């Protein structure tokens, strides 16, 4: 008990970290599920790195200020989202190579910008985040983004799912696929920004994608996947923070590692296409 | 068919639809009466899919018009399956419920009545026990039955089918054909792109023979005369890159 709850009861910074990470964990994995189903998992990574130059620009102008860095990140993220969409259309859907080029450039640009003014500490903050140093503003941003994401996604859920499953039918029924997809990308950018506060640009999509990819092994249905993804993300946030406290590990990577561990367990033991289910040859049914 | 057909008449007036300015459907004029059960046949590349999409309002019409009598006619299109993600994690009943989109939209919940209707549609296509089955587990033929169930629920007045019997076995084709006859009996207008001319001659009273241009349109037996079929086969499939602007 003491092992599980002690750190959070005793230390304010652990409580804040927990609240922030739980806010990320209830919203971001849902976006991750759709990214995965659209086979655009790379998009999250691209957006996470794509916001870096904007955040760095905010940092150059105003120092380590959450509003300035977030605003810069938002502008950069939206630009990258629009640019990625244009690239995707221009390359006939084979955008992965172009997107990879885009995010490598963005990351390098961001790191360069921060190095112009900041020291190694600032760079570490940018790249890996500081879960344990989450201040009020960052906490508000993370909670606000989660508060916005859940109802927005509830509204967009059916059109997004339909567009994903059968775009032709969605078009014929007059679903404004582009509009909903645009809203979806804005939500992804916002969640990446929120995650950036805690996890840094290199780890920001960890809680978004890993639980979503793992959830595939727990349900054959979209809603089941969504519940599983959120459950896994919440568990990973808690487990990661505890591991970082007790084992003295950097907290952002510890959370992503915990999510990675859950993913590995899901691949092996998950009921849907899990290795165990595949290898354990149970007798087939009669009909 | 005692009452007047509920399906609209479909009138194509000098219709031209293009891909990158090259006509896929070229100056086609044809008419399908209200409640007709008609096949659209023609060689590969004849513009059959483009024509269906133009009628559904999904392909831009470059010239001419598509006129549906009864402007509030509901239209449903069953495309060829290529664009669908058949590995998507969704249950069969939920796919059928998508057919209620025009009534439920993005936000309204599907209640008991809607679910009963979807279940009845599944049973009508022989998938009664499949409601809770994920689509990823369906065979090609079962999937096509599922799409027919969704069409049933859509309850459209004009139903457009693009090669509906491709990749299905004889029994499934027969079952789906029975659904077509049912729609015809209910007075809906049904247009189906088909390749099996024997089937067309057996089951479809009307026919449009298309080879980019309309070769013939009317009663199937007349349209599919040997002379017409020969003319359709002569259609050049390739684009003429140097083609001048059409003067007609």
């Amino acid at each position: 008990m003491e092992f599980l709850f002690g750190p959070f009861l005793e230390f304010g910074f652990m409580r804040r970290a927990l609240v922030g990470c739980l806010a990320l964990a209830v919203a971001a994995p849902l976006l991750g599920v759709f990214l995965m189903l659209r086979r655009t998992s790379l998009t999250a990574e691209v957006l996470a790195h794509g916001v870096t130059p904007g955040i760095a620009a905010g940092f150059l102008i105003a120092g380590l200020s959450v509003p300035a860095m977030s605003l810069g990140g938002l502008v950069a993220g939206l630009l990258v989202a629009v640019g990625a969409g244009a690239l995707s259309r221009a390359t006939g859907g084979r955008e992965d190579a172009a997107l990879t080029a885009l995010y490598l450039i963005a990351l390098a640009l961001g790191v360069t910008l921060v190095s112009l003014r900041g020291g190694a500490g600032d760079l570490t903050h940018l790249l890996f985040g500081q879960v344990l140093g989450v201040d009020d503003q960052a906490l508000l941003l993370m909670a606000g983004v989660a508060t916005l994401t859940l109802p927005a996604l509830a509204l967009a859920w059916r059109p997004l799912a339909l567009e994903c499953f059968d775009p032709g039918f969605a078009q014929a029924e007059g679903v404004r696929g582009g509009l909903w997809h645009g809203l979806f990308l804005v939500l992804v950018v916002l969640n990446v920004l929120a995650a950036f506060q805690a996890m840094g640009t290199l780890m920001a999509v960890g809680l978004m994608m890993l639980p979503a990819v793992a959830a595939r092994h727990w349900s054959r249905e979209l809603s089941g996947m969504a519940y599983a993804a959120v459950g896994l993300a919440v568990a990973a946030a808690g487990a990661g923070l505890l591991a970082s406290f007790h084992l003295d590990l950097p907290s952002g990577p510890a959370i992503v590692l915990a999510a990675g561990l859950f993913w590995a367990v899901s691949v092996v033991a998950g009921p849907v296409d899990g290795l165990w289910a595949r290898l354990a040859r149970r007798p087939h049914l009669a009909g | 068919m005692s009452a007047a057909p509920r399906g609209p008449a479909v009138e194509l007036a000098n219709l031209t639809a293009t891909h990158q300015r090259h006509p896929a459907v070229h100056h086609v004029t044809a008419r399908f009466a209200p409640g007709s059960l008609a096949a659209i046949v023609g060689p590969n590349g004849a513009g059959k899919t483009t024509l269906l999409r133009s009628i559904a309002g999904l392909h831009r019409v470059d010239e001419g018009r598509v006129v549906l009598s009864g402007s509030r006619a509901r239209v449903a299109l069953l495309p060829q399956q290529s664009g669908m993600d058949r590995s998507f994690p969704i249950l069969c009943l939920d796919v059928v419920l998508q057919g209620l989109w025009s009534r439920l939209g993005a936000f309204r919940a599907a209640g008991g009545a809607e679910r009963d209707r979807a279940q009845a549609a599944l049973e009508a296509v022989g998938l009664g026990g499949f409601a809770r089955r994920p689509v990823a587990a369906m065979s090609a033929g079962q999937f096509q039955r599922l799409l027919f169930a969704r069409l049933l629920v859509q309850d459209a007045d004009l139903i457009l089918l693009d090669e509906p019997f491709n990749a299905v076995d004889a029994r499934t084709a027969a079952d789906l054909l029975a659904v077509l006859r049912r729609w015809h009996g209910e007075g809906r207008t049904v247009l189906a792109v088909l390749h099996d001319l024997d089937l067309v001659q057996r089951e479809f009273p009307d026919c449009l023979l298309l080879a980019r241009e309309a070769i013939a349109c009317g009663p199937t037996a007349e349209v599919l005369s040997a002379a017409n079929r020969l003319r359709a086969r002569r259609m050049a499939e390739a684009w003429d890159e140097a083609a001048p602007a059409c003067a007609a």
Side-chain angles (χ1 to χ4, degrees), chain A residues 37 39 155 158-159 161-162 164-167 169 171-173 175 180 220-222 225, chain B residues 58 83-85 87-89 91 94-95 98 101-102 104-108 134 150 154:
Chain A
L37 291 176
R39 297 190 172 79
L155 286 180
R158 202 183 283 173
L162 184 58
C164 206
F165 166 62
D166 189 350
F169 181 78
Q171 191 195 2
E173 290 293 291
V175 178
W180 292 111
R220 293 183 192 277
E221 200 215 349
L222 181 58
M225 275 187 197
Chain B
L58 295 173
M84 267 177 229
D85 179 5
S87 66
F88 193 82
L91 304 179
D94 290 326
V95 174
Q98 290 170 355
W101 181 275
S102 58
L104 295 178
F107 311 126
R108 272 188 295 279
R150 185 170 74 178
Q154 271 184 276

